[in-house]
Amino acid sequence: VCWLTPEQTAGKQKPYLYTQGQAVLNRSFFPGFDTPAVKCTYSATVKVPEGFTAVMSATTWEKEKDNTFIFKMSQPIPSYLIALAVGDIVSAEVGPRSRVWAEPCLIEAAKKEYDGVIEEFLAVGEKLFGPYVWGRYDILFMPPSFPFGGMENPCITFVTPCLLAGDRSLVDVIIHEISHSWFGNLVTNATWGEFWLNEGFTMYAQRRISTEVYGSAYTCLEAATGRALLRQHMDNTGEDHPLNKLRVIIEPGLWGVNPDDTYNETPYEKGYCFVSYLAHLVGDQSKFDAFLQAYVNQFKFQSITADDALEFFLEYFPELKKKGVDSLPGFEFDRWLNTPGWPPYLPDLSPGEQLMKPADELAELWATDSLNVEAIEAVDISAWKTYQLVYFLDQILQKSPLPEGNVERLSKMYPKISKAQNAELRLRWCQIVLKNNHESEFSKVKDFLCSQGKQKYTLPIYRAMWSGSESARALAMETFSATAPQLHVNVQNYVKKILGLE
């Protein structure tokens, strides 16, 4: 149970409490079978002090006198999805079955960012994967120290306030959490060793919804960004690292391992590639969509293994089973599950090239010794959406360190990037500043780390500082001592490991 002091909240006035159950943390919140293999319904009675509100991942809830809240979850869920938050929180309607919850100082921004957006995503999800069974889909914007992008607690997703970019440029992050309503929450991995069943199918579902809403060029660009993250992760760990398998062995020896320590890009992006490979075997999008709907219907409210899922796939497509697609040389299902390394099949992301090509060419121009300013100024990036800018910055980062002075000029030329409030852009700009040891903008790195505590942003920046110059290392120590109290304890420990403070 995470207890936040007023300083750790956005409003800085009142304390805040929240629980984060995934993967095996709810055993410290209530006695229960804390395994995703077991599902149950639950009810809770929560009494909170005057001036506070409680919310839970429940299908019905009512407030009684003396600030007591009664919650009931009428559908069976795994223990990790039981979630509670208590704080100075208020809500605003943003759709027929959705509201946003946040501290009072954030509620206007939250309403503006998400008004009318959620229902569109939900409706497309229902069209593709079948009925949405959870009743409401609310979003709770957490205090800045919340360590995750989003946690798909049923009925009320907990998300980072980093999503409030002010221009709706990150609203599509919520598509991932919405997709969990079918993949993860309804059909659940039976063990954390097969986490890819939750995340690989969810990434696939997210990109199906995104394709329907934004088109395939944009979705392929977003998927290319994901692939770059997988590449980065595998380069960091070595491809043959045992965690780069889809089926992870979580218990070496007697003491076991915290499943949280096995968390990385592999179940998401390699999992996505495997589901895409299954779709490729089918060869017809509408047939594969129908399969996904049948899969959800077959296993809803159950916890399953990869063997259950793949067996169902082969039964559903008997002609593929007859062809022995599960053992095609190099693409064996067994190899996908049990061999570490780069995915044997990569989905075709070429529709994204119309957006990637200009970004690639522009990055090339910035990486040269004598800048061709005329050619650079001829490229207008004002209409580029988030993932096109992200892709461009990823290319710049790969080419870094750039020749002397180039980063400074880049920063001046594109205030849209170097002064961005969008967290995905800020993360990459900080990485570029560090990799080029551009000390005049080190303050931006510290500001970003002070503004949020999301694991996905915080850890890579500390890694970049620690592998950088003396002054970058000094910045890491200084920033950590200033921000440690506002970080989630897991994130604190991971940063300590990076900084050798264990």
Side-chain angles (χ1 to χ4, degrees):
V1 178
C2 305
W3 305 83
L4 306 186
T5 60
E7 298 75 61
Q8 291 172 293
T9 67
K12 313 245 181 273
Q13 300 301 308
K14 293 181 182 175
Y16 198 103
L17 170 158
Y18 72 90
T19 65
Q20 166 55 35
Q22 197 176 14
V24 290
L25 300 171
N26 268 348
R27 58 191 66 185
S28 62
F29 168 32
F30 57 86
F33 295 106
D34 197 9
T35 161
V38 176
K39 291 189 172 184
C40 62
T41 56
Y42 80 89
S43 61
T45 305
V46 185
K47 187 174 191 305
V48 303
E50 216 30 69
F52 288 84
T53 299
V55 294
M56 286 192 84
S57 54
T59 37
T60 63
W61 60 291
E62 54 207 70
K63 185 179 173 181
E64 308 213 316
K65 56 184 186 312
D66 73 3
N67 239 20
T68 299
F69 294 83
I70 312 277
F71 298 99
K72 283 194 179 68
M73 168 48 87
S74 53
Q75 317 273 30
I77 58 170
S79 59
Y80 74 88
L81 289 176
I82 297 176
L84 163 71
V86 179
D88 179 11
I89 42 185
V90 292
S91 68
E93 298 288 330
V94 291
R97 45 185 161 172
S98 304
R99 51 175 90 89
V100 287
W101 293 86
E103 293 178 60
C105 60
L106 289 178
I107 195 71
E108 273 315 304
K111 182 173 168 42
K112 208 171 119 216
E113 199 91 355
Y114 281 89
D115 209 1
V117 177
I118 296 171
E119 187 56 34
E120 179 184 13
F121 297 154
L122 280 174
V124 175
E126 288 194 294
K127 189 182 90 186
L128 289 169
F129 313 121
Y132 177 78
V133 304
W134 308 101
R136 297 199 62 82
Y137 186 90
D138 290 1
I139 304 180
L140 170 64
F141 288 89
M142 301 294 282
S145 60
F146 186 61
F148 307 102
M151 181 58 220
E152 65 273 12
N153 302 311
C155 308
I156 183 160
T157 285
F158 290 11
V159 299
T160 172
C162 292
L163 296 192
L164 300 175
D167 57 2
R168 295 196 165 182
S169 56
L170 287 177
V171 294
D172 50 349
V173 173
I174 213 69
I175 301 178
H176 181 87
E177 308 310 330
I178 285 173
S179 301
H180 272 304
S181 307
W182 293 272
F183 305 96
N185 296 6
L186 199 49
V187 182
T188 308
N189 50 227
T191 72
W192 292 119
E194 298 197 316
F195 185 46
W196 78 272
L197 279 174
N198 278 15
E199 294 301 346
F201 275 90
T202 294
M203 292 304 290
Y204 187 86
Q206 167 199 324
R207 287 169 181 155
R208 278 295 294 121
I209 294 175
S210 170
T211 300
E212 297 287 308
V213 176
Y214 298 114
S216 62
Y218 183 72
T219 303
C220 287
L221 181 61
E222 184 274 321
T225 309
R227 188 179 295 177
L229 285 173
L230 182 65
R231 184 71 271 167
Q232 218 175 344
H233 159 72
M234 288 204 177
D235 290 346
N236 283 343
T237 55
E239 277 198 23
D240 50 4
H241 192 286
L243 290 183
N244 294 335
K245 296 190 290 199
L246 290 181
R247 188 183 272 151
V248 177
I249 309 300
I250 288 190
E251 306 218 12
L254 193 58
W255 300 105
V257 161
N258 182 347
D260 280 338
D261 295 341
T262 67
Y263 174 89
N264 64 54
E265 299 296 337
T266 301
Y268 291 78
E269 293 296 344
K270 189 175 179 176
Y272 165 71
C273 289
F274 189 19
V275 180
S276 301
Y277 175 63
L278 298 177
H280 162 76
L281 288 173
V282 173
D284 174 321
Q285 188 64 61
S286 59
K287 279 189 182 151
F288 192 70
D289 288 347
F291 159 74
L292 288 176
Q293 223 173 102
Y295 166 83
V296 169
N297 198 35
Q298 173 76 15
F299 295 117
K300 59 178 185 258
F301 303 117
Q302 296 177 50
S303 302
I304 65 168
T305 63
D307 292 339
D308 298 326
L310 294 170
E311 207 170 298
F312 180 71
F313 173 78
L314 293 170
E315 296 303 319
Y316 188 88
F317 294 109
E319 67 287 3
L320 292 180
K321 186 179 182 175
K322 214 161 98 197
K323 270 173 42 189
V325 292
D326 53 338
S327 49
L328 296 175
F331 301 97
E332 300 88 348
F333 288 1
D334 181 71
R335 177 182 164 176
W336 273 103
L337 294 175
N338 299 312
T339 309
W342 196 243
Y345 168 87
L346 294 170
D348 171 23
L349 303 181
S350 59
E353 269 163 23
Q354 63 194 75
L355 298 172
M356 287 182 228
K357 204 165 168 261
D360 278 324
E361 287 166 357
L362 185 59
E364 270 308 316
L365 291 170
W366 279 105
T368 56
D369 273 323
S370 46
L371 290 178
N372 180 344
V373 180
E374 209 174 323
I376 286 172
E377 284 176 345
V379 184
D380 175 19
I381 69 163
S382 62
W384 288 13
K385 293 236 281 278
T386 301
Y387 281 105
Q388 196 168 8
L389 292 167
V390 160
Y391 181 81
F392 167 65
L393 292 179
D394 280 342
Q395 303 312 304
I396 293 285
L397 186 59
Q398 272 174 18
K399 298 177 194 306
S400 290
L402 299 183
E404 191 65 36
N406 285 16
V407 168
E408 198 168 342
R409 297 185 68 171
L410 182 83
S411 174
K412 283 199 175 72
M413 185 144 182
Y414 306 133
K416 173 181 180 171
I417 290 172
S418 59
K419 292 193 167 79
Q421 284 309 295
N422 176 313
E424 291 290 327
L425 299 178
R426 286 176 83 178
L427 163 68
R428 287 164 177 85
W429 186 247
C430 289
Q431 289 172 305
I432 288 166
V433 162
L434 290 164
K435 195 146 179 209
N436 289 278
N437 202 32
H438 183 47
E439 292 191 21
S440 64
E441 294 196 36
F442 273 12
S443 61
K444 286 185 178 163
V445 176
K446 189 171 178 181
D447 290 346
F448 184 46
L449 289 172
C450 289
S451 75
Q452 54 77 41
K454 184 178 164 183
Q455 191 170 305
K456 184 182 154 195
Y457 301 147
T458 303
L459 301 186
I461 292 179
Y462 274 105
R463 280 192 205 104
M465 286 194 278
W466 204 242
S467 59
S469 63
E470 276 304 299
S471 48
R473 284 185 154 210
L475 179 72
M477 286 301 199
E478 176 199 330
T479 307
F480 184 57
S481 63
T483 59
Q486 69 191 43
L487 294 174
H488 184 275
V489 61
N490 279 5
V491 180
Q492 279 181 34
N493 289 334
Y494 290 134
V495 174
K496 281 181 187 163
K497 228 182 225 150
I498 293 167
L499 304 183
L501 298 173
E502 286 290 83

